Structures are given as C-alpha cells and as structure tokens.
Amino acid sequence: MKLVSLFDDFLKETVNLNKTRIDLLEASIPALKSFVRESDWNPKVRTFVEQGSWAHETIIRPVDGGEFDADLLVMVDPVDGWTAAEYVESLGRVFSGSKTYEDKTKTWDYCVTITYASDRKIDLAPCVVGRLWEDSTEVCNRKGSFELTAPIEYTEWMKERNAYSGNNSFRKVTRLVKYLRDIKATFTCPSVLLTTLLGNEIEWFEKDNDEFADVPTTLKTLMGRLDDRLRMYPTRPSVTNPKLPSEDFSPLFGSDEQYANFRTVIARYRKWIDEAHATEGRQQSIKAWQKVFGEEFGKASVVKVAADAATEGLARVRGLLSSTAAHLSELVDVVKNYGISVLPLDFSRPPHIRQPSWRQVPNLAMVRATAEWRERRASTVGRAIRAGEILHRGGGLHFKATTADGAPLPPDYEVQWRITNTGAVAMAKGAGRGGFYIENSSHGRWETLDYRGVHMSEAFVIRRSDNMLVAKSDPFYVVIE
C-alpha cells in the first residue's frame, strides 16, 4: 500500500529538520552577513547565496540528533593577484580574530565553518565572480586553485525536477533517500551526487505523470529507475553536473568497492520498496515499509492499533467470561493474539476454584513460581517456559517455587500447588480441577499438557511446624493450543 498520510507524518515527525532548528539557522544568517560586510575583509562582497540541501529544501534532521550543516556562498569580486587559498584563509582570519566568533571558527579547504553550541554549523565559502569572464563563478580550493561552479543554476535545475513531480514529491523523496542513507549506514553517497542521480531520472515531459503522483509512488519510480541505470554500469559511470558539463561528480562515489556496494544496496532497497508498495493490508504494509525505513515509520499508527487491539481483546475476554469456563475455548486465540495481560483480574478466580483451608499469617509473603517443559516426568533437563507462552499438547511442565530472589525454600516449609484448568475440553471431561496437590517430582510439581485452554498453577507455602500458610505465588498461566 502507498500509505500516503503515513509518509507525510514520517517526513514531518522524523525526517524533516524541525521548524525550530530552521528558525535558529535563519536567525543566525543576518548576523553573519552583516559581520562579513562590515569587516575589513578585502574582497568586495556582491551578495550571499544559499547552497546545497538548505537551498534545495532537502535538508534533513541528523539521525543521531547531532549538528546539521547549511552552506552559504559569499559571492565576491576578484582581488588582483590573489590565489584561491588567500580568499579562504583571509576569511578564516577575519572570523577567528573576532570576539564573537573566535571560538566557533574552523577553516577548511573550501570554506570557513561557524559552529553554534553543538547544534548547527554554517559553512561560508568564498565564490569569485567574473575572474575568467563576465558572471563566471569559481569556488576557492585552499589546497589547489579556482574551480568553476554553477550553484545558482544547479539549484534552479533541482527546483525544475521537483516541479515535474506532483505534491512536491521529488524533493520529499530526496529527503527520504538521504534519511535511508544515514539511518542504515549501508552505503555512502554525498548529497549532491545523490540528488543528481535521482534528478536525472525525471524529465520535463513527465510532468503530472502518474508515476510521480505522490511520495511513495515517486520513491518507487525513482529507486526503480536508478537501480535499472546502475545495472548498466558495472564500473563507475560519469555523472556530470547538469548545469556545468565540465564538472563530473563520479569521483564522489569513492573507491570501486564503494561504487559496487552502492549498486548492490540500491538494488536491495528497490526490491524492498517494490514489495512494500505492493503489500495489501494496512498493518502488513506498515511492517514492510518499516523494513525499509525502520520502526519510526508508522509508529503512531502501530501504537494506536495495539491499544485498540488490547481494548478489543479485553472486551472479548470479558464477553467470554460472562458464561461459564466450559465455553472458554476461544480464549486461547485471544491470549495468543494479545498476550496474557489482556486477562482481567477476576479471571484467576473461576467458580470451580477451591479456596485455601489453612490458617494463614496476617501478611502473606510472595514466592516465585517457575516452569520448565520436559518430555516426561523422569527427565532432569528441561526448557524454561514463560508464563503465557503458547504451548502444544504433549510432554509436561515441572513447576518449582523459590523465594523472590530465586533461592530454594527452606526444608521446614512445604509447597502445595493449586492447579486450575479451563476450556471446553477439560470441563467436558470433568477435569476443571481447581484444588490443591502436593509436590510429586523432585522439589516441584509435574503436570502434563493435555487440554486446550488457559490454565493456572499457583504455589502455596505452608510452615510445617504449625501448618500455617505463610506465602503464595501469583498465578502462572499455561496456555495450551
């Protein structure tokens, strides 16, 4: 299923950078612009241009809750005689020499990074305009030379791709694939390369095409096409900047091994996405999409369904309990689906259960009842069983009582077990029981698994010196299919 509304929720609640952090980012920009313009930095500043994921509106929330990055180009006139390194290094000195930014500044090859309280980073990159010809733009490589670039044109190209898809779906899918990359950590692919690869798979003549009608369909279409394209290239293909043919993004794939891994992983996720898109049934489809994006996808819907199911299960149990225990065969299916927590408190007190006849101390202590499945009574090795675990008929359980911390009970105390059966089969055969039974196995009680139903075993501890009941266990529920 497409589950369009759940994709909207997933983007809003998990993938997208939340509005508070966007506001913090945008609030920082005017001060940076003013600082650069009013500083003694030599180049004449023409303007500032947003770049990268921020400009493309594909920025996502860091999956580890860490810092997020935004890129800001400082468009400047050329300075006669300056090398590429001088633009970057001099801008770094301006910031590091400021009381406001000195402890926030780090200079890299292409940019100066300002880090705000482990929350956000803003990269300011000098971009020289008109050095080669009118309106030519070049970024500055501190360890190299000037490099032609076309950031404004590339952003416009990306916006065009998005306009060809319905409901802003290309931009949203780009965020989803970046999230998939970050949350799975199974492949590496820088954002500009990933955006270009995806953008190359949608053309102007496909505007309003049904294959781009909504987010999950666009995701299926683009990942399918990308997988088909990568299958055509066993080795790294050229991926040119659509607005600057001389710039090839393919080195960003990394090594040959990294490219091969990228091809393999995209094929895997394409298969999972196709399966999730085709899966019928809301809950089954959510589970299939969670295979792709993790448990955060559809989380609120899953929680609500679980709560509704528990409520429904409790109502069904109570409806069943309005009759006698002889009619509780359906109860096994309810507990199997919803767990023993769905059982109401009064389930452990059916009409045929016997009450203890011993005198008892004012405040009973609590002991633990545990169980092991064993093939036969004489077996000495078994498999630990949880209360409420679904069991098949055959073999039996060896019950044992211990102190609350698991220690054996002292020898001057004896244990009697109240064994209570429910279900139509047991009741029809007069095997509802509900009475007390002494231990019949090595320091425990052996009971065979015979009848379909939800049964109970409870330990009652009697002090031998005065025959006083001093402790008991909670019911240990045994569910037999």
Side-chain angles (χ1 to χ4, degrees), residues 289-329:
W289 283 116
Q290 285 180 333
K291 183 178 181 181
V292 181
F293 293 111
E295 293 184 356
E296 290 300 315
F297 182 89
K299 183 177 180 179
S301 179
V302 171
V303 170
K304 182 179 184 302
V305 168
D308 291 345
T311 301
E312 176 190 353
L314 182 57
R316 291 178 66 193
V317 172
R318 285 175 174 162
L320 290 167
L321 289 174
S322 65
S323 59
T324 68
H327 303 287
L328 294 180
S329 189

Tab-separated table of all heavy atoms in Angstrom, residues 289-329:
chain	number	residue	atom	x	y	z
A	289	TRP	N	7.089	-1.376	5.033
A	289	TRP	CA	7.783	-0.085	4.928
A	289	TRP	C	8.780	0.089	6.075
A	289	TRP	O	9.823	0.738	5.912
A	289	TRP	CB	6.784	1.060	4.907
A	289	TRP	CG	6.076	1.250	3.599
A	289	TRP	CD1	4.734	1.112	3.360
A	289	TRP	CD2	6.668	1.630	2.348
A	289	TRP	NE1	4.458	1.371	2.041
A	289	TRP	CE2	5.629	1.689	1.392
A	289	TRP	CE3	7.973	1.902	1.945
A	289	TRP	CZ2	5.854	2.029	0.067
A	289	TRP	CZ3	8.208	2.241	0.608
A	289	TRP	CH2	7.154	2.302	-0.306
A	290	GLN	N	8.482	-0.486	7.236
A	290	GLN	CA	9.427	-0.409	8.354
A	290	GLN	C	10.707	-1.188	8.043
A	290	GLN	O	11.775	-0.850	8.559
A	290	GLN	CB	8.784	-0.939	9.632
A	290	GLN	CG	7.772	0.017	10.242
A	290	GLN	CD	7.151	-0.513	11.512
A	290	GLN	OE1	7.064	-1.727	11.711
A	290	GLN	NE2	6.700	0.376	12.372
A	291	LYS	N	10.612	-2.198	7.216
A	291	LYS	CA	11.811	-2.920	6.783
A	291	LYS	C	12.746	-1.977	6.033
A	291	LYS	O	13.976	-2.098	6.124
A	291	LYS	CB	11.412	-4.103	5.900
A	291	LYS	CG	12.575	-4.970	5.458
A	291	LYS	CD	12.076	-6.154	4.625
A	291	LYS	CE	13.221	-7.044	4.190
A	291	LYS	NZ	12.746	-8.200	3.362
A	292	VAL	N	12.154	-1.017	5.314
A	292	VAL	CA	12.945	-0.046	4.566
A	292	VAL	C	13.468	1.054	5.479
A	292	VAL	O	14.663	1.333	5.526
A	292	VAL	CB	12.114	0.576	3.419
A	292	VAL	CG1	12.962	1.570	2.633
A	292	VAL	CG2	11.548	-0.492	2.509
A	293	PHE	N	12.564	1.682	6.250
A	293	PHE	CA	12.897	2.906	6.968
A	293	PHE	C	13.058	2.756	8.477
A	293	PHE	O	13.368	3.729	9.153
A	293	PHE	CB	11.826	3.970	6.698
A	293	PHE	CG	11.800	4.455	5.279
A	293	PHE	CD1	10.724	4.150	4.454
A	293	PHE	CD2	12.849	5.198	4.766
A	293	PHE	CE1	10.699	4.604	3.139
A	293	PHE	CE2	12.829	5.644	3.464
A	293	PHE	CZ	11.751	5.348	2.638
A	294	GLY	N	12.840	1.571	9.003
A	294	GLY	CA	12.952	1.391	10.438
A	294	GLY	C	11.625	1.578	11.149
A	294	GLY	O	10.614	1.964	10.553
A	295	GLU	N	11.626	1.337	12.450
A	295	GLU	CA	10.390	1.290	13.227
A	295	GLU	C	9.742	2.652	13.435
A	295	GLU	O	8.590	2.723	13.885
A	295	GLU	CB	10.657	0.634	14.579
A	295	GLU	CG	11.014	-0.839	14.473
A	295	GLU	CD	11.183	-1.510	15.821
A	295	GLU	OE1	11.088	-0.793	16.846
A	295	GLU	OE2	11.414	-2.728	15.848
A	296	GLU	N	10.447	3.742	13.143
A	296	GLU	CA	9.832	5.057	13.286
A	296	GLU	C	8.730	5.270	12.256
A	296	GLU	O	7.809	6.061	12.482
A	296	GLU	CB	10.882	6.160	13.157
A	296	GLU	CG	11.853	6.236	14.318
A	296	GLU	CD	11.150	6.508	15.638
A	296	GLU	OE1	10.272	7.385	15.672
A	296	GLU	OE2	11.465	5.836	16.633
A	297	PHE	N	8.809	4.582	11.115
A	297	PHE	CA	7.768	4.730	10.102
A	297	PHE	C	6.458	4.124	10.613
A	297	PHE	O	6.400	2.966	11.005
A	297	PHE	CB	8.158	4.039	8.799
A	297	PHE	CG	7.120	4.224	7.711
A	297	PHE	CD1	7.192	5.309	6.866
A	297	PHE	CD2	6.057	3.341	7.573
A	297	PHE	CE1	6.235	5.507	5.882
A	297	PHE	CE2	5.093	3.529	6.607
A	297	PHE	CZ	5.180	4.622	5.754
A	298	GLY	N	5.399	4.920	10.616
A	298	GLY	CA	4.084	4.433	11.034
A	298	GLY	C	3.987	4.096	12.494
A	298	GLY	O	3.057	3.400	12.919
A	299	LYS	N	4.933	4.575	13.309
A	299	LYS	CA	4.993	4.200	14.719
A	299	LYS	C	3.712	4.553	15.453
A	299	LYS	O	3.161	3.745	16.200
A	299	LYS	CB	6.185	4.887	15.380
A	299	LYS	CG	6.399	4.511	16.839
A	299	LYS	CD	7.640	5.182	17.384
A	299	LYS	CE	7.883	4.830	18.833
A	299	LYS	NZ	9.127	5.479	19.349
A	300	ALA	N	3.205	5.761	15.251
A	300	ALA	CA	1.998	6.195	15.946
A	300	ALA	C	0.810	5.320	15.565
A	300	ALA	O	-0.018	4.965	16.404
A	300	ALA	CB	1.693	7.659	15.633
A	301	SER	N	0.745	4.926	14.297
A	301	SER	CA	-0.351	4.073	13.845
A	301	SER	C	-0.271	2.698	14.474
A	301	SER	O	-1.274	2.116	14.897
A	301	SER	CB	-0.320	3.948	12.316
A	301	SER	OG	-1.355	3.108	11.856
A	302	VAL	N	0.957	2.157	14.578
A	302	VAL	CA	1.145	0.833	15.186
A	302	VAL	C	0.742	0.859	16.654
A	302	VAL	O	0.079	-0.050	17.154
A	302	VAL	CB	2.602	0.383	15.031
A	302	VAL	CG1	2.866	-0.879	15.843
A	302	VAL	CG2	2.927	0.140	13.567
A	303	VAL	N	1.143	1.919	17.367
A	303	VAL	CA	0.789	2.037	18.784
A	303	VAL	C	-0.714	2.107	18.963
A	303	VAL	O	-1.287	1.467	19.843
A	303	VAL	CB	1.470	3.272	19.400
A	303	VAL	CG1	0.924	3.552	20.785
A	303	VAL	CG2	2.972	3.071	19.458
A	304	LYS	N	-1.376	2.875	18.104
A	304	LYS	CA	-2.833	3.009	18.207
A	304	LYS	C	-3.526	1.676	17.936
A	304	LYS	O	-4.447	1.284	18.653
A	304	LYS	CB	-3.345	4.055	17.222
A	304	LYS	CG	-4.854	4.283	17.316
A	304	LYS	CD	-5.291	5.342	16.329
A	304	LYS	CE	-6.778	5.645	16.490
A	304	LYS	NZ	-7.636	4.460	16.305
A	305	VAL	N	-3.053	0.970	16.922
A	305	VAL	CA	-3.658	-0.332	16.610
A	305	VAL	C	-3.465	-1.295	17.769
A	305	VAL	O	-4.374	-2.043	18.143
A	305	VAL	CB	-3.045	-0.904	15.315
A	305	VAL	CG1	-3.426	-2.363	15.136
A	305	VAL	CG2	-3.524	-0.096	14.126
A	306	ALA	N	-2.279	-1.271	18.374
A	306	ALA	CA	-2.020	-2.154	19.510
A	306	ALA	C	-2.944	-1.831	20.678
A	306	ALA	O	-3.480	-2.731	21.337
A	306	ALA	CB	-0.564	-2.034	19.946
A	307	ALA	N	-3.144	-0.538	20.927
A	307	ALA	CA	-4.036	-0.136	22.013
A	307	ALA	C	-5.471	-0.548	21.719
A	307	ALA	O	-6.186	-1.054	22.584
A	307	ALA	CB	-3.944	1.375	22.222
A	308	ASP	N	-5.889	-0.340	20.458
A	308	ASP	CA	-7.247	-0.737	20.076
A	308	ASP	C	-7.425	-2.244	20.191
A	308	ASP	O	-8.463	-2.737	20.633
A	308	ASP	CB	-7.544	-0.289	18.640
A	308	ASP	CG	-7.655	1.225	18.519
A	308	ASP	OD1	-7.778	1.895	19.569
A	308	ASP	OD2	-7.614	1.729	17.386
A	309	ALA	N	-6.365	-2.965	19.783
A	309	ALA	CA	-6.446	-4.425	19.850
A	309	ALA	C	-6.557	-4.895	21.292
A	309	ALA	O	-7.313	-5.812	21.602
A	309	ALA	CB	-5.211	-5.050	19.191
A	310	ALA	N	-5.792	-4.267	22.175
A	310	ALA	CA	-5.847	-4.653	23.580
A	310	ALA	C	-7.235	-4.389	24.151
A	310	ALA	O	-7.790	-5.203	24.894
A	310	ALA	CB	-4.796	-3.887	24.371
A	311	THR	N	-7.799	-3.252	23.786
A	311	THR	CA	-9.149	-2.922	24.258
A	311	THR	C	-10.161	-3.917	23.721
A	311	THR	O	-11.029	-4.412	24.447
A	311	THR	CB	-9.528	-1.499	23.810
A	311	THR	OG1	-8.578	-0.584	24.350
A	311	THR	CG2	-10.917	-1.133	24.294
A	312	GLU	N	-10.025	-4.217	22.414
A	312	GLU	CA	-10.939	-5.185	21.807
A	312	GLU	C	-10.772	-6.552	22.451
A	312	GLU	O	-11.744	-7.248	22.744
A	312	GLU	CB	-10.651	-5.285	20.308
A	312	GLU	CG	-11.490	-6.347	19.601
A	312	GLU	CD	-11.019	-6.592	18.184
A	312	GLU	OE1	-10.142	-5.852	17.705
A	312	GLU	OE2	-11.530	-7.545	17.572
A	313	GLY	N	-9.487	-6.948	22.681
A	313	GLY	CA	-9.230	-8.240	23.288
A	313	GLY	C	-9.820	-8.344	24.673
A	313	GLY	O	-10.420	-9.358	25.041
A	314	LEU	N	-9.690	-7.277	25.469
A	314	LEU	CA	-10.244	-7.273	26.815
A	314	LEU	C	-11.757	-7.395	26.776
A	314	LEU	O	-12.357	-8.126	27.572
A	314	LEU	CB	-9.831	-5.986	27.541
A	314	LEU	CG	-10.300	-5.850	28.985
A	314	LEU	CD1	-9.812	-7.023	29.822
A	314	LEU	CD2	-9.808	-4.536	29.578
A	315	ALA	N	-12.379	-6.694	25.832
A	315	ALA	CA	-13.841	-6.786	25.710
A	315	ALA	C	-14.263	-8.202	25.341
A	315	ALA	O	-15.256	-8.737	25.855
A	315	ALA	CB	-14.333	-5.795	24.656
A	316	ARG	N	-13.471	-8.829	24.452
A	316	ARG	CA	-13.813	-10.193	24.054
A	316	ARG	C	-13.671	-11.147	25.227
A	316	ARG	O	-14.479	-12.042	25.430
A	316	ARG	CB	-12.914	-10.633	22.896
A	316	ARG	CG	-13.167	-9.913	21.597
A	316	ARG	CD	-12.214	-10.379	20.527
A	316	ARG	NE	-12.460	-11.773	20.177
A	316	ARG	CZ	-11.624	-12.509	19.463
A	316	ARG	NH1	-10.488	-12.010	19.069
A	316	ARG	NH2	-11.916	-13.761	19.182
A	317	VAL	N	-12.581	-10.981	25.998
A	317	VAL	CA	-12.382	-11.842	27.161
A	317	VAL	C	-13.531	-11.690	28.143
A	317	VAL	O	-14.075	-12.673	28.650
A	317	VAL	CB	-11.042	-11.514	27.847
A	317	VAL	CG1	-10.925	-12.269	29.160
A	317	VAL	CG2	-9.883	-11.905	26.932
A	318	ARG	N	-13.876	-10.447	28.414
A	318	ARG	CA	-14.959	-10.231	29.370
A	318	ARG	C	-16.277	-10.811	28.867
A	318	ARG	O	-17.085	-11.319	29.638
A	318	ARG	CB	-15.094	-8.731	29.640
A	318	ARG	CG	-13.974	-8.208	30.540
A	318	ARG	CD	-14.020	-6.721	30.705
A	318	ARG	NE	-13.029	-6.281	31.676
A	318	ARG	CZ	-12.588	-5.051	31.807
A	318	ARG	NH1	-13.042	-4.102	30.988
A	318	ARG	NH2	-11.709	-4.729	32.722
A	319	GLY	N	-16.470	-10.734	27.535
A	319	GLY	CA	-17.672	-11.336	26.977
A	319	GLY	C	-17.665	-12.840	27.148
A	319	GLY	O	-18.673	-13.456	27.472
A	320	LEU	N	-16.499	-13.443	26.955
A	320	LEU	CA	-16.393	-14.888	27.130
A	320	LEU	C	-16.617	-15.285	28.581
A	320	LEU	O	-17.245	-16.301	28.881
A	320	LEU	CB	-15.004	-15.356	26.678
A	320	LEU	CG	-14.730	-15.288	25.170
A	320	LEU	CD1	-13.253	-15.478	24.908
A	320	LEU	CD2	-15.553	-16.319	24.423
A	321	LEU	N	-16.092	-14.460	29.493
A	321	LEU	CA	-16.209	-14.792	30.905
A	321	LEU	C	-17.612	-14.575	31.466
A	321	LEU	O	-17.869	-14.914	32.607
A	321	LEU	CB	-15.203	-13.967	31.717
A	321	LEU	CG	-13.744	-14.391	31.520
A	321	LEU	CD1	-12.830	-13.431	32.245
A	321	LEU	CD2	-13.521	-15.797	32.028
A	322	SER	N	-18.489	-13.976	30.654
A	322	SER	CA	-19.859	-13.813	31.136
A	322	SER	C	-20.570	-15.163	31.172
A	322	SER	O	-21.614	-15.314	31.791
A	322	SER	CB	-20.624	-12.840	30.227
A	322	SER	OG	-20.759	-13.381	28.923
A	323	SER	N	-20.019	-16.161	30.475
A	323	SER	CA	-20.557	-17.517	30.542
A	323	SER	C	-19.670	-18.348	31.454
A	323	SER	O	-18.838	-17.819	32.162
A	323	SER	CB	-20.622	-18.109	29.128
A	323	SER	OG	-19.332	-18.131	28.571
A	324	THR	N	-19.817	-19.640	31.433
A	324	THR	CA	-19.020	-20.491	32.322
A	324	THR	C	-17.689	-20.833	31.675
A	324	THR	O	-17.483	-20.655	30.474
A	324	THR	CB	-19.767	-21.804	32.620
A	324	THR	OG1	-19.823	-22.569	31.422
A	324	THR	CG2	-21.155	-21.536	33.125
A	325	ALA	N	-16.761	-21.348	32.473
A	325	ALA	CA	-15.441	-21.699	31.969
A	325	ALA	C	-15.493	-22.767	30.900
A	325	ALA	O	-14.554	-22.917	30.124
A	325	ALA	CB	-14.559	-22.173	33.121
A	326	ALA	N	-16.582	-23.525	30.838
A	326	ALA	CA	-16.699	-24.570	29.827
A	326	ALA	C	-16.769	-23.998	28.424
A	326	ALA	O	-16.641	-24.725	27.446
A	326	ALA	CB	-17.944	-25.417	30.097
A	327	HIS	N	-16.966	-22.689	28.307
A	327	HIS	CA	-17.125	-22.069	26.988
A	327	HIS	C	-15.949	-21.165	26.641
A	327	HIS	O	-16.094	-20.252	25.835
A	327	HIS	CB	-18.423	-21.271	26.947
A	327	HIS	CG	-19.638	-22.086	27.265
A	327	HIS	ND1	-20.157	-23.007	26.383
A	327	HIS	CD2	-20.415	-22.140	28.375
A	327	HIS	CE1	-21.218	-23.594	26.927
A	327	HIS	NE2	-21.394	-23.094	28.141
A	328	LEU	N	-14.785	-21.421	27.231
A	328	LEU	CA	-13.660	-20.511	27.055
A	328	LEU	C	-12.644	-20.994	26.037
A	328	LEU	O	-11.522	-20.526	26.023
A	328	LEU	CB	-12.952	-20.298	28.396
A	328	LEU	CG	-13.743	-19.567	29.469
A	328	LEU	CD1	-12.921	-19.446	30.733
A	328	LEU	CD2	-14.150	-18.187	28.988
A	329	SER	N	-12.988	-21.894	25.135
A	329	SER	CA	-12.009	-22.411	24.190
A	329	SER	C	-11.465	-21.290	23.301
A	329	SER	O	-10.287	-21.264	22.955
A	329	SER	CB	-12.644	-23.510	23.333
A	329	SER	OG	-11.671	-24.153	22.558
